[in-house]
Amino acid sequence: RMSRHAKKLRDHDINPCVAETEATTKCMDDNNYNKDMCTDYFLKYRNCRKFWHEIMMQRKRNGVKPEMPSAEERKKILESMG
């Protein structure tokens, strides 16, 4: 059974970087947990977290609720950026 924390990490509305998280985990599994083999995945994950953290802080400053846009809203934000 999955813990509440694990469920949150897999929830696309809560975690904007589910795909990056899963890709990093798969890379680590496939490469016998050799971090050096997965540098690109870690970088993509870090960039994803940083990007959505900035969006969240901006929304917080502007009083927008919820602070983290829903999965659908995030998709539109990304599409508008090209």
Side-chain angles (χ1 to χ4, degrees):
R1 206 175 142 224
M2 240 192 283
S3 71
R4 187 176 294 148
H5 181 70
K7 278 193 182 111
K8 269 183 166 177
L9 290 177
R10 299 186 76 89
D11 184 333
H12 287 272
D13 278 328
I14 296 170
N15 180 0
C17 303
V18 171
E20 290 79 1
T21 304
E22 290 175 351
T24 303
T25 302
K26 183 182 182 326
C27 180
M28 290 291 282
D29 289 344
D30 293 350
N31 290 287
N32 205 17
Y33 295 88
N34 178 350
K35 282 186 176 176
D36 297 336
M37 301 294 286
C38 303
T39 310
D40 289 348
Y41 292 97
F42 285 114
L43 191 60
K44 284 179 187 158
Y45 172 78
R46 234 185 353 261
N47 288 340
C48 178
R49 297 294 305 170
K50 191 174 166 189
F51 176 81
W52 289 112
H53 181 74
E54 290 296 320
I55 298 273
M56 208 169 76
M57 296 315 290
Q58 191 178 351
R59 286 168 66 104
K60 195 175 192 170
R61 281 191 298 271
N62 296 339
V64 179
K65 296 275 183 197
E67 287 156 10
M68 177 55 73
S70 68
E72 192 57 40
E73 216 179 327
R74 288 195 309 267
K75 192 176 162 195
K76 288 178 183 151
I77 291 169
L78 290 173
E79 283 167 0
S80 75
M81 295 174 74

